[in-house]
Amino acid sequence: MAAIAGRRKGKEQISDLDWMTMAALSASTRPLSAMRKGAGPDDVGLSITYPWILKQWFQAGGSRPQVDSMGLGALKSGLFMFANLMRFWRSHWLVIQIDSSLVTTGAPNTFEQRHWVVVNPNFQPRVRRGGTGPWVAMGDVMSDFWKVPQEEASRAMEGVHLGDWPMELSLVTWGKEDFRTRMTRLGDVPARFYGGYAFPHFR
């Protein structure tokens, strides 16, 4: 994490050794796979990094989540919680759990394609306000959720009226430090976002 925070544009900062270390950390702290001495390639349940385990990693480094929209990680968190998390982009590590189809396209798969990613700390998530207006920081559109007719106020947090707005979201994932999502509308998010954490930067 510290490496990518100071990344210069166009220069990779996370070494291959860091990625390998992360994989080993993930494998060694899975409570169920430890009982069976490791998970095989097809052990979907045993290869999961559970939300509370991920929090323990950061807490061990002295960073506790300021925002936690994961809960137990069983349900999707919705567009409002996604946009709210993006408000903390500048001063926090944003670690989110997504369906991998957010980066690869295709239909979401509720259980087998969950994936932890980090929002790129060097590329601010943006959205095109109104669909054709100016590009703004994604965290700046919270007030837009409430700009609905009175009779639709009960569903404002679903953000259906924002669904066609283009977004730009860059992630650190699969050994890549600047992976732009292939799903590029806010409306693509709700079915593919399980929740996440905003961890204050390490001191």
Side-chain angles (χ1 to χ4, degrees), residues 26 88 93 105 118 161 166 192 199:
S26 177
F88 295 85
W93 301 116
T105 71
V118 176
H161 56 296
R192 299 173 172 85
F199 292 102

Side-chain angles (χ1 to χ4, degrees), residues 54 69-70 81-82 85-86 93-99 102 115-119 169-171 181 189 192-199:
L54 188 140
S69 63
M70 279 300 303
M81 296 305 296
F82 180 77
L85 199 62
M86 296 303 128
W93 301 116
L94 304 183
V95 184
I96 61 178
Q97 189 180 83
I98 62 170
D99 185 278
L102 187 66
H115 183 46
W116 288 106
V117 297
V118 176
V119 177
L169 180 64
S170 174
L171 305 173
T181 60
V189 171
R192 299 173 172 85
F193 173 62
Y194 288 93
Y197 302 107
F199 292 102

Side-chain angles (χ1 to χ4, degrees), residues 26-193:
S26 177
S28 66
T29 53
R30 293 176 188 139
L32 296 180
S33 64
M35 294 169 58
R36 295 219 353 224
K37 298 182 179 180
D42 298 324
D43 291 335
V44 175
L46 297 182
S47 63
I48 294 172
T49 299
Y50 293 95
W52 58 91
I53 296 296
L54 188 140
K55 280 201 295 186
Q56 289 175 6
W57 298 347
F58 278 84
Q59 289 170 358
S63 183
R64 296 179 178 274
Q66 183 169 344
V67 178
D68 177 351
S69 63
M70 279 300 303
L72 295 177
L75 303 173
K76 308 276 186 4
S77 286
L79 187 57
F80 183 85
M81 296 305 296
F82 180 77
N84 180 62
L85 199 62
M86 296 303 128
R87 294 192 303 119
F88 295 85
W89 171 83
R90 192 171 301 280
S91 58
H92 292 65
W93 301 116
L94 304 183
V95 184
I96 61 178
Q97 189 180 83
I98 62 170
D99 185 278
S100 62
S101 63
L102 187 66
V103 294
T104 61
T105 71
N109 184 310
T110 303
F111 294 107
E112 294 188 1
Q113 300 299 326
R114 293 190 186 199
H115 183 46
W116 288 106
V117 297
V118 176
V119 177
N120 190 336
N122 298 289
F123 186 93
Q124 187 167 38
R126 303 193 306 166
V127 62
R128 195 159 195 172
R129 179 168 268 148
T132 58
W135 287 96
V136 298
M138 194 177 294
D140 291 346
V141 301
M142 299 302 295
S143 62
D144 292 280
F145 280 87
W146 311 112
K147 296 178 180 178
V148 295
Q150 184 62 37
E151 61 272 16
E152 298 177 18
S154 63
R155 298 184 58 198
M157 291 179 64
E158 296 177 20
V160 175
H161 56 296
L162 314 181
D164 289 330
W165 293 12
M167 71 171 181
E168 290 184 345
L169 180 64
S170 174
L171 305 173
V172 179
T173 178
W174 290 326
K176 298 181 179 179
E177 296 180 24
D178 185 11
F179 196 107
R180 307 295 171 90
T181 60
R182 304 231 171 97
M183 295 295 196
T184 57
R185 300 179 314 116
L186 283 179
D188 295 323
V189 171
R192 299 173 172 85
F193 173 62

